Amino acid sequence: MENLQSILLPGVSHNRPLVIAGPCSAETPEQVLSTAKQLAENGIKIFRSGIWKPRTKPGGFEGVGVIGLEWLKEVKKETGMYVATEVANRDHVQAALAADVDILWIGARTSANPFAMQEIADSLKGVDVPVLVKNPVNPDLELWIGAIERIYNAGIRRLGAIHRGFSTYGKHLYRNLPQWHIPIELHRRIPELPILCDPSHIGGKRELVAPISQQAMDMGFDGLIVESHCDPDCAWSDKSQQVLPEVLNFMLNTLVIRDTKQTTENLTLLRQQIDRIDNELLEILNKRMRVSREIGQYKKEHSMQIVQTGRYDDILKSRIAQAVDMGMSGDFMRDVLQAIHEESVRQQIEVLNDRAK
Ligand code: PEP
Ligand code: MN
């Protein structure tokens, strides 16, 4: 696969990871320039900053608008960095291109909306600019691929994806659940498409930026887009997830970049072990489903309802506690149990409808 940097910015020297960094939002000319200068001093070559901010609720800071594009021009002039910003409609695209923005990205709320994506794609026809498409807020790989396809069909070839996690209801360790299998499946489906990870929006907290970045590197992601601010505690948006430029630099220096293509004999042996364990897992799951079907039969004969929430809550609580004791994450175990429960219910419904094999 061609290197991300040579795809997005031909001629720029490259090493994995490609790093894009900068504040969530442009706030003032001073904040933009001071952050950019500190990042540039730390070796960052691509500066990010939101100008138009899609906020969950009205009344929040919605971005400084087109004036911020002037500040990005200043960043280019003063630091020689490339600049990137988020676009969500035709006007944004036109204004950003007119201001010589080097890379455009499409946010998670926009990539979830095919009308907005088509409008953006139409406004990019005949233009040669790198475009990065964030995953939609909901975990829908087809919607993500559809958004990417619209941009590709408009003629854009310098194209990449950004994994920023998926919205969820309730309190979790992550702000947006990583659901790593989704970007991994995207990579399987479109192997030549570079993928960056956005640890800031996945984690939502400073202390998660480094571990998530490491995980992304271990999984072979091409790059990172990280929120960094000259005074994170005073940021006008996403302050709990932004890091100082020097902290970002420290984190990047401590990242371990492993050769993702390396396959040693040991690795082969370990993979064989995983294959065997997966087989055992499947056998055990199948055994569990058979018992579920028997329970379904019992419920049918006694006219009982299939989903009994009290029982399900007990299962969740005890198994999650057990998993945490064993060193696994509670969120992970909840996801596994939910998936197993859904399949059990589906099997019991089959029994109810007399379609069980
Ligand atoms: C951002 O990058 O600041 C942003 C708004 O991200 P997302 O679209 O991933 O929420
Ligand atoms: Mn943000």
Side-chain angles (χ1 to χ4, degrees):
M1 185 179 78
E2 245 186 297
N3 182 283
L4 173 65
Q5 217 142 326
S6 58
I7 292 176
L8 291 181
L9 301 166
V12 179
S13 68
H14 44 74
N15 273 320
R16 201 166 67 95
L18 168 132
V19 179
I20 301 176
C24 176
S25 308
E27 298 160 6
T28 65
E30 295 74 29
Q31 166 254 1
V32 167
L33 205 58
S34 154
T35 307
K37 280 187 176 158
Q38 292 178 45
L39 288 167
E41 279 160 18
N42 284 296
I44 303 294
K45 298 202 167 57
I46 313 174
F47 182 74
R48 65 146 281 158
S49 180
I51 301 290
W52 301 282
K53 301 303 297 179
R55 303 324 302 265
T56 303
K57 291 192 176 145
F61 171 56
E62 297 194 328
V64 292
V66 284
I67 183 71
L69 293 170
E70 297 306 316
W71 309 343
L72 292 183
K73 279 191 202 161
E74 197 61 21
V75 167
K76 286 176 73 146
K77 203 167 87 198
E78 292 282 320
T79 67
M81 293 168 103
Y82 293 91
V83 296
T85 202
E86 173 175 343
V87 291
N89 61 35
R90 180 186 301 115
D91 293 346
H92 296 167
V93 171
Q94 285 167 358
L97 293 176
D100 273 335
V101 169
D102 302 288
I103 298 179
L104 307 179
W105 87 78
I106 292 161
R109 288 154 197 80
T110 310
S111 65
N113 178 350
F115 289 129
M117 283 310 305
Q118 194 53 51
E119 177 182 312
I120 293 169
D122 290 342
S123 66
L124 285 167
K125 279 192 183 131
V127 179
D128 177 23
V129 65
V131 179
L132 300 170
V133 183
K134 285 196 168 194
N135 62 261
V137 275
N138 50 324
D140 183 341
L141 178 61
E142 300 310 320
L143 195 58
W144 194 2
I145 292 180
I148 293 164
E149 269 177 20
R150 286 177 201 275
I151 301 296
Y152 182 87
N153 290 345
I156 297 290
R157 291 297 175 266
R158 290 194 282 159
L159 199 52
I162 300 174
H163 169 230
R164 49 77 79 197
F166 301 90
S167 287
T168 177
Y169 181 70
K171 231 175 123 35
H172 293 269
L173 169 65
Y174 299 102
R175 177 177 177 193
N176 291 294
L177 299 184
Q179 307 216 33
W180 295 103
H181 59 284
I182 297 179
I184 288 169
E185 177 60 12
L186 174 67
H187 178 60
R188 200 188 63 79
R189 297 262 294 270
I190 318 178
E192 61 284 11
L193 182 76
I195 310 182
L196 281 83
C197 175
D198 175 344
S200 314
H201 289 91
I202 291 178
K205 314 176 186 64
R206 267 162 229 166
E207 54 287 12
L208 288 179
V209 173
I212 296 169
S213 300
Q214 184 62 58
Q215 228 173 325
M217 289 303 102
D218 293 346
M219 289 189 202
F221 277 63
D222 302 274
L224 300 168
I225 175 164
V226 188
E227 286 190 341
S228 177
H229 191 290
C230 58
D231 187 3
D233 285 332
C234 297
W236 297 3
S237 59
D238 285 353
K239 65 178 178 187
S240 48
Q241 69 194 34
Q242 305 208 54
V243 294
L244 283 166
E246 67 196 61
V247 172
L248 173 67
N249 187 43
F250 177 78
M251 182 206 88
L252 292 173
N253 285 333
T254 53
L255 272 187
V256 181
I257 309 298
R258 299 178 180 96
D259 180 356
T260 49
K261 292 187 185 71
Q262 189 174 299
T263 306
T264 63
E265 210 171 305
N266 282 349
L267 197 53
T268 311
L269 289 175
L270 288 170
R271 284 181 174 154
Q272 284 168 357
Q273 259 188 56
I274 290 281
D275 289 346
R276 272 199 302 278
I277 294 173
D278 280 352
N279 271 331
E280 285 167 27
L281 260 176
L282 282 167
E283 291 293 340
I284 290 179
L285 275 174
N286 194 32
K287 218 190 253 173
R288 194 186 192 281
M289 290 305 156
R290 274 203 300 275
V291 177
S292 280
R293 285 197 291 267
E294 275 174 41
I295 294 177
Q297 188 61 35
Y298 181 91
K299 286 180 183 164
K300 182 182 176 184
E301 283 162 16
H302 295 80
S303 302
M304 290 165 75
Q305 67 184 41
I306 286 182
V307 180
Q308 308 210 322
T309 42
R311 162 78 181 144
Y312 181 51
D313 285 347
D314 291 345
I315 289 186
L316 272 185
K317 267 197 214 102
S318 68
R319 310 292 195 267
I320 288 173
Q322 211 177 332
V324 171
D325 275 349
M326 292 164 109
M328 288 181 279
S329 101
D331 282 348
F332 161 71
M333 193 38 63
R334 178 177 293 106
D335 286 348
V336 169
L337 290 168
Q338 269 166 0
I340 293 176
H341 183 249
E342 266 179 46
E343 177 60 12
S344 296
V345 170
R346 194 191 66 76
Q347 300 239 5
Q348 293 193 1
I349 290 172
E350 266 192 5
V351 170
L352 200 64
N353 294 339
D354 257 334
R355 277 192 274 112
K357 289 174 201 110

